Amino acid sequence: RRFKPTARGLANTLWALAKLKVHFLARSGDFNPHGLVEKMCALSSAKEEDFNPQDRANIMWALATLKVQNPDLVEILCSVCVRKAGDFTPQALSNIMWALATLKVLNPDLVHMVCSVCLGKV
């Protein structure tokens, strides 16, 4: 039987792995956290349209916290965030911007959109 995670399950699992600082678990033997995280990223790319704004923010936060460089997934997430920026809470927007800064990713369209949304909420 094949594992078919939901979009919410992927986002929550990546968030939990980051919260647990899973990269420290690599010392415990055969467990390969990087392989698991990369697999989760690949599955997330395929389910992007199913994520809600909080899921997207959580995934970006998790990638940054785990220091995972996955430009394809980040670009997909940024693209959708630009289209749906008005759906995000201020906290989610803040988390996304922190993640981009931490990952050293510059996405001018997303920065512009976040600034526009924030100015509209002031």
Side-chain angles (χ1 to χ4, degrees):
R1 189 169 168 183
R2 193 161 179 185
F3 176 62
K4 295 181 183 178
T6 63
R8 171 59 55 89
L10 287 167
N12 288 347
T13 301
L14 281 167
W15 176 86
L17 290 171
K19 192 73 173 162
L20 290 169
K21 306 279 191 222
V22 75
H23 51 277
F24 291 117
L25 297 177
R27 299 179 189 151
S28 65
D30 296 332
F31 179 63
N32 177 1
H34 299 293
L36 174 62
V37 171
E38 287 303 318
K39 179 68 172 172
M40 302 288 286
C41 287
L43 291 168
S44 295
S45 292
K47 291 195 173 282
E48 169 43 41
E49 290 300 323
D50 297 335
F51 292 125
N52 67 35
Q54 187 63 50
D55 294 335
R56 290 182 184 98
N58 285 350
I59 291 171
M60 294 285 277
W61 178 86
L63 294 176
T65 299
L66 293 171
K67 297 175 178 49
V68 172
Q69 294 293 327
N70 190 311
D72 293 337
L73 179 56
V74 170
E75 182 58 36
I76 289 168
L77 290 167
C78 286
S79 174
V80 174
C81 290
V82 167
R83 290 195 323 266
K84 300 182 179 189
D87 297 343
F88 288 82
T89 65
Q91 181 65 53
L93 292 173
S94 175
N95 289 350
I96 290 168
M97 296 306 290
W98 174 85
L100 291 177
T102 300
L103 292 169
K104 295 179 176 42
V105 172
L106 178 60
N107 187 301
D109 293 335
L110 183 57
V111 172
H112 176 74
M113 184 60 68
V114 169
C115 290
S116 297
V117 168
C118 289
L119 287 173
K121 293 185 180 192
V122 175

